[in-house]
Amino acid sequence: MGDHKEQQPVRVGAAVRRRRRVLELTLAAVAERSGLSVPFLSQVENDKARPSRTSLEKLADALRTTAVELLAAADPAASVDVVRAEPVAEGDFAPRTRSLVRGHHQLHASEFTGDHDAGREFRHRNDELMYVADGAVEIEAEGRAYRLGRGDTLYLTGGVRHRWRATVPDTRVIVVAVAEHIEAVQDRAR
């Protein structure tokens, strides 16, 4: 079996629905603005109809965006992607980061090997999970310190400020997060 990424048509429905909800519009309001019918828009949002280029442009105008932006935020209909490990020279202990998911998806995953800038603070819009695959880390989140070892996880809800550092050599941390472009949760007041 070879490595491949199978390309399928994109599902623009979820992107249209997310954008419509962000603007707090009803299907009827979008239909009025775009000149498209409510039943057709409902079928588009439920991925039962694919809009033509002209219809997609009308829809994008009604949603105060562009067809390109809607397509960029679209979900692939189906995809399979294998990301192979990168070869590392023996004795190379330099800190590394690699993406475990290619492309524009609802989920991002990265692998951090070695130490990194422990002073750098992170605050992501959506939830994330940190998993210590090897080694150990110290994480500061919301004013508290957490020590994690191999196999431990830490879950952070969107908006939590945090920073982390490896406490032993050859530490490997996997970070999985909901992509920033996803409207996963309401912004929390801090």
Side-chain angles (χ1 to χ4, degrees), residues 12 16 19-20 27 30-31 33-34 36 40-41 44-45 51 53-67 70:
V12 74
V16 169
R19 180 68 182 159
R20 179 177 62 80
L27 280 173
V30 175
R33 288 178 174 196
S34 66
L36 302 170
F40 175 69
L41 293 174
V44 168
E45 283 195 3
R53 189 177 83 190
T54 302
S55 294
L56 186 60
E57 288 172 0
K58 288 179 181 180
L59 186 52
D61 288 343
L63 295 172
R64 293 187 225 139
T65 189
T66 65
L70 285 175

Side-chain angles (χ1 to χ4, degrees), residues 12-190:
V12 74
V16 169
R17 183 180 309 107
R18 282 190 299 267
R19 180 68 182 159
R20 179 177 62 80
R21 287 180 176 167
V22 164
L23 296 174
E24 298 178 349
L25 296 173
T26 63
L27 280 173
V30 175
E32 185 178 318
R33 288 178 174 196
S34 66
L36 302 170
S37 72
V38 171
F40 175 69
L41 293 174
S42 177
Q43 287 181 337
V44 168
E45 283 195 3
N46 290 299
D47 291 314
K48 294 184 179 180
R50 287 184 51 192
S52 66
R53 189 177 83 190
T54 302
S55 294
L56 186 60
E57 288 172 0
K58 288 179 181 180
L59 186 52
D61 288 343
L63 295 172
R64 293 187 225 139
T65 189
T66 65
V68 171
E69 288 294 319
L70 285 175
L71 289 170
D75 301 328
S79 71
V80 175
D81 191 17
V82 174
V83 178
R84 296 285 180 195
E86 299 169 354
V88 178
E90 204 170 314
D92 179 7
F93 301 112
R96 288 179 303 284
T97 302
R98 78 177 175 110
S99 180
L100 301 176
V101 178
R102 288 185 278 232
H104 187 78
H105 297 286
Q106 295 183 8
L107 188 71
H108 287 180
S110 298
E111 176 185 56
F112 298 88
T113 304
D115 210 352
H116 73 286
D117 181 3
R120 181 174 176 202
E121 183 176 81
F122 300 92
R123 183 178 180 194
H124 302 287
R125 175 180 178 184
N126 293 318
D127 297 1
E128 75 179 78
L129 175 85
M130 297 179 77
Y131 170 73
V132 181
D134 288 307
V137 297
E138 187 173 88
I139 301 169
E140 181 187 319
E142 294 295 308
R144 292 186 57 196
Y146 301 89
R147 293 174 190 250
L148 279 67
R150 183 175 185 217
D152 291 340
T153 63
L154 180 78
Y155 186 87
L156 302 159
T157 59
V160 171
R161 294 176 195 271
H162 60 284
R163 69 183 82 220
W164 65 276
R165 68 182 185 88
T167 57
V168 299
D170 297 332
T171 292
R172 226 168 26 103
V173 176
I174 308 297
V175 177
V176 179
V178 176
E180 293 289 318
H181 72 278
I182 300 296
E183 290 286 332
V185 295
Q186 295 288 337
D187 289 336
R188 295 175 179 90
R190 288 276 171 209

